[in-house]
Amino acid sequence: MKRLWYGGKIYTMEKENETVEAILVEDDRINAIGTFNDLSKLADEFINLDGAAMYPGFVDSHLHMIFQGEKLTRLDLSKATTAEEMLDLVKTAAKTTPPDQWLFGEGWNENNFTVKKIPTIKELDAIRKEPILLTRICHHVILGNTAALKAGSIFEESKSPAGGEIGRDEQGKLNGLLFELATNAVTEAIPREGEAYIESLTKSLNLAIDEMLSYGLTGGHTEDMSYFGKYTNPLTAFHRVVGEKHHFRVTLLRHKAVFEKMMLTNATYDEPFIEPGAMKIFADGALGGTTAALSKPYSDQPNNKGLFIQTDQELEELVKLARQYDEAVAVHIIGDAAAEQVLNIIEKYPLTNGKRDRLIHCCVLREDLVERLERLPVVLDLQPAFVPSDFPWVIDRLGKERLEWAYAWKKLVDRGLMCAAGTDAPVEEINPLYTIYAAVERKKPYTEHDGYIPEEKLSRFQAVQLYTIGSAKAICKEHERGLIKAGYAADFSIFDRDLFEGSSEDMLTAKALKTVVAGRTVFERVN
C-alpha cells in the first residue's frame, strides 16, 4: 500500500525553507518525495493535509517518561509561590491519601517563592505521621517528613554519603532535605515489587506516551531503568505499552547502576520501537540546588563549588566498563568542573566504533572546554527550556563573568557541534513548542523583554532541527530519521499551522493534528 501525503506545507528540514509538494509512503518508509502530479500515478491511497504543516517526527532527546506519567497522577507543587501555599497543597492531599500509602508531591521550586523559605520537616510532620516525599523540580533534591527519612534509615546521627548530602538546619538537626545520592536511601525504601507495581508503571507510561503523541512527539530518549526496583519492572512496562499498542520510538538510556546487569542478562528490546541506548551517568547535580560542580565557587555561596557524584577514578571505571561493551556514555553535566572531569576521561578512552558520547545539559562551559568538545565524537543534549526557568535567579548564582558560556546554545550550534533538544520532563513542560519558543526567545511566553542573553537566540529553523535531525544524530540514526527524504522513516509531526510563520507567540498556539510513526497515524486530534 502506497500512501500519498499532499495538500499542505511539507518541510524536509534538510535546508531552511525547503518544502516539497507531496511524499509517497510505503509501509514504514518514505518511498519518494516530489510533485503531486508525478507521485499521484504511483499512489494507492491519498491523504490530504488540508493546509496543515508537516515536519519530520519530533523526538524529545532527554526525558524520564515514567516519571512524566507519574507527575500526571501525583500532587503538583510546581505552581506554589510560597512555602505556606506548598504546605496547604500537601495538607489537602493528605486528607485523601490512605494511611498505608506514601504521599508524593512533585515540582516544588523555592526560586519561584516570594520568600525563598523551604518547608521544614517539622511542618511536614504536623500534617501527617505516615511518609511524605516531595520531589524538587530538578529531581536532585527531595524533602521528606520524619517517617520518609526513617524508612530510608536516615536519623539524626546519620552521615552524608559520598556524592550526596543530608540537609540540616542551623542547629545541626535534620531539616528534611536530601541532596543527590543521599536521596537514594529513601527512594529505594518505596515498595517496588509485584505485578500490581508493574501495572502502575504501565499506567504511568501509557499516560506519558498519550500526552507526548498529543503534542506531535514521535519518540523520546528516556532514562527510566534504575528508579523503579529491578530494571525488569520498567522494561516490562515498556514492552507492554510500546510496539503493537503504541507505535512510538523510545531509546532507553541505561543507568550505570543497572547497565552491566542489563548487558549480562541479555535484556530484550523491540527494535525499532524500543532501542538500547548509552550508559547514563550523573557527573554532578543542579544549579537550583547548588550541587552542580563549578570550577569556581557559586557567586551567592562563596564557600560552595557544588558536588561531584563520582571521584575521577570511579568515573573512569564507569567509562571503561561502557567501552568494554562497545557502548557510549550519556553523562549529565551542568557545571564546567563536571564537564572538565568528563572530558578528561572520554579523551582518554575515545569511541572508535562510530557511536557518539552524549553530554546532557551543558549549562555552564568555558572556551577551552568547547575547543576540546569540537575534537570529539559527541552530541550535546540541550534543554532550552532551562533558560526561562533558571533566569533571572541563576545570574546571581553564577555571576556575570560566567554568563558568556552559560546556556550558550547559539555558539554551540554555530561552532558546528552536534546538538539535540529535550525537556528533561518532568523537570520542564513536555510540549516541544515551549522548548522551541525558549530556544528562539529565551524568556517566558508573553513577557515584555528581549530575552536572557539574547545573542544566544536560535532561529526557529535551528530550534526545530534540534528536535528532528538533532535527536537522530544523538543515536547515530541521522541516515534514516530526522528528515523528510526518500528512504527515511515515515515519522511525521503535523500541526494546524506553519511553525515558521507569524510571531513566536503565534507558534505557541499551534496544535498537533496528527502524529505518524512508521507510517501509521497514532494520534489524530478530534475537534
Side-chain angles (χ1 to χ4, degrees):
M1 175 72 73
K2 293 181 179 178
R3 296 180 172 90
L4 188 70
W5 293 79
Y6 71 100
K9 208 77 169 286
I10 302 174
Y11 284 95
T12 69
M13 290 310 297
E14 189 163 21
K15 297 175 184 175
E16 191 160 5
N17 297 320
E18 182 178 73
T19 60
V20 294
E21 195 173 298
I23 60 175
L24 189 67
V25 171
E26 184 173 12
D27 298 324
D28 62 348
R29 294 274 153 185
I30 299 172
N31 180 286
I33 62 175
T35 66
F36 177 84
N37 284 340
D38 288 344
L39 297 182
S40 61
K41 302 164 189 174
L42 307 173
D44 303 304
E45 183 182 341
F46 294 79
I47 305 173
N48 193 337
L49 290 167
D50 293 319
M54 172 187 276
Y55 306 83
F58 286 15
V59 174
D60 191 309
S61 67
H62 180 64
L63 76 161
H64 307 272
M65 287 173 60
I66 294 178
F67 280 142
Q68 177 65 15
E70 288 184 341
K71 175 186 175 182
L72 299 175
T73 61
R74 289 182 171 179
L75 172 63
D76 181 7
L77 300 172
S78 62
K79 302 298 189 294
T81 58
T82 64
E84 290 73 25
E85 187 178 342
M86 178 173 159
L87 288 167
D88 285 341
L89 290 168
V90 176
K91 286 175 187 175
T92 300
K95 294 174 183 175
T96 57
T97 304
D100 62 341
Q101 294 181 15
W102 289 47
L103 192 166
F104 295 105
E106 300 272 342
W108 61 270
N109 183 357
E110 77 284 5
N111 290 308
N112 293 336
F113 293 175
T114 50
V115 177
K116 292 180 174 57
K117 170 186 173 293
I118 299 171
T120 67
I121 191 170
K122 290 182 180 178
E123 289 172 316
L124 294 184
D125 286 345
I127 295 173
R128 191 174 196 254
K129 65 178 185 297
E130 297 84 14
I132 298 174
L133 192 62
L134 311 177
T135 303
R136 193 182 184 278
I137 184 133
C138 62
H139 273 240
H140 289 262
V141 184
I142 59 176
L143 175 66
N145 67 350
T146 296
L149 268 59
K150 185 181 292 186
S153 298
I154 294 177
F155 306 101
E156 290 293 351
E157 63 274 16
S158 298
K159 305 290 186 185
S160 294
E165 183 180 342
I166 297 172
R168 297 183 184 277
D169 61 22
E170 293 178 356
Q171 287 72 45
K173 300 289 186 181
L174 295 175
N175 62 10
L177 291 169
L178 300 173
F179 301 83
E180 303 302 339
L181 295 189
T183 65
N184 290 354
V186 172
T187 58
E188 289 171 3
I190 300 167
R192 291 171 171 163
E193 292 292 338
E195 175 60 23
Y197 180 65
I198 295 173
E199 270 304 302
S200 75
L201 301 182
T202 302
K203 176 184 176 183
S204 293
L205 191 55
N206 264 313
L207 289 171
I209 292 179
D210 285 342
E211 182 185 32
M212 293 174 76
L213 291 172
S214 75
Y215 286 126
L217 288 160
T218 62
H221 306 166
T222 185
E223 199 253 298
D224 302 273
M225 292 295 104
S226 71
Y227 307 109
F228 306 99
K230 296 178 290 187
Y231 81 80
T232 52
N233 291 340
L235 186 58
T236 298
F238 274 97
H239 278 288
R240 290 180 181 179
V241 176
V242 177
E244 282 309 306
K245 185 175 190 312
H246 278 300
H247 255 40
F248 192 78
R249 300 190 193 274
V250 294
T251 297
L252 300 179
L253 299 184
R254 292 166 288 182
H255 191 281
K256 54 104 173 171
V258 298
F259 174 82
E260 188 167 29
K261 185 173 288 187
M262 294 184 75
M263 300 300 283
L264 292 174
T265 56
N266 294 315
T268 59
Y269 305 94
D270 186 13
E271 301 182 63
F273 299 111
I274 304 174
E275 299 175 326
M279 177 198 281
K280 173 68 184 295
I281 306 169
F282 285 85
D284 67 342
L287 290 166
T290 63
T291 54
L294 301 177
S295 56
K296 296 178 181 178
Y298 285 89
S299 294
D300 58 353
Q301 294 185 19
N303 296 318
N304 180 20
K305 291 185 178 181
L307 281 173
F308 288 106
I309 304 299
Q310 285 93 201
T311 65
D312 291 349
Q313 183 177 353
E314 288 169 340
L315 185 58
E316 182 169 341
E317 289 303 313
L318 290 172
V319 173
K320 285 168 65 177
L321 176 63
R323 302 302 194 240
Q324 178 184 325
Y325 290 99
D326 291 324
E327 194 51 85
V329 292
V331 192
H332 165 114
I333 54 170
I334 295 278
D336 62 327
E340 186 168 11
Q341 183 192 40
V342 172
L343 282 172
N344 289 342
I345 294 167
I346 62 175
E347 285 171 342
K348 190 174 178 180
Y349 302 97
L351 282 165
T352 58
N353 58 359
K355 293 185 178 182
R356 300 179 183 121
D357 289 322
R358 181 193 302 235
L359 304 183
I360 303 168
H361 306 316
C362 304
C363 292
V364 184
L365 295 170
R366 305 190 307 262
E367 173 70 34
D368 61 300
L369 299 177
V370 175
E371 290 173 0
R372 292 165 67 181
L373 286 170
E374 290 175 311
R375 298 191 289 269
L376 290 168
V378 296
V379 171
L380 308 186
D381 196 338
L382 309 177
Q383 286 64 51
F386 282 4
V387 173
S389 289
D390 293 359
F391 283 83
W393 60 261
V394 79
I395 298 172
D396 292 334
R397 191 140 293 174
L398 292 176
K400 292 185 178 179
E401 70 281 357
R402 270 187 284 230
L403 294 184
E404 180 184 1
W405 278 108
Y407 308 75
W409 317 140
K410 188 173 192 304
K411 282 200 285 287
L412 295 172
V413 169
D414 287 349
R415 295 275 283 255
L417 287 154
M418 285 185 269
C419 298
T423 57
D424 204 11
V427 174
E428 299 293 345
E429 290 295 327
I430 204 165
N431 186 342
L433 299 183
Y434 290 174
T435 289
I436 293 167
Y437 180 92
V440 171
E441 298 294 344
R442 296 180 68 90
K443 63 179 182 177
K444 287 182 169 64
Y446 311 109
T447 50
E448 298 294 328
H449 61 90
D450 196 34
Y452 299 106
I453 319 181
E455 59 270 24
E456 292 298 334
K457 291 180 178 180
L458 296 179
S459 70
R460 259 183 266 180
F461 178 75
Q462 289 173 318
V464 172
Q465 273 196 321
L466 295 181
Y467 263 101
T468 53
I469 195 66
S471 290
K473 287 177 179 178
I475 54 173
C476 302
K477 299 280 187 182
E478 68 270 25
H479 60 289
E480 59 178 303
R481 298 180 197 167
L483 299 174
I484 290 181
K485 187 173 182 177
Y488 276 58
D491 298 348
F492 311 127
S493 302
I494 301 170
F495 294 91
D496 63 355
R497 63 174 300 130
D498 189 332
L499 303 182
F500 298 132
E501 292 183 355
S503 69
S504 298
E505 283 74 19
D506 291 336
M507 178 196 68
L508 283 178
T509 67
K511 303 289 185 186
L513 294 180
K514 291 184 180 181
T515 306
V516 181
V517 180
R520 181 190 295 183
T521 299
V522 290
F523 169 79
E524 188 163 7
R525 188 170 297 279
V526 178
N527 292 328

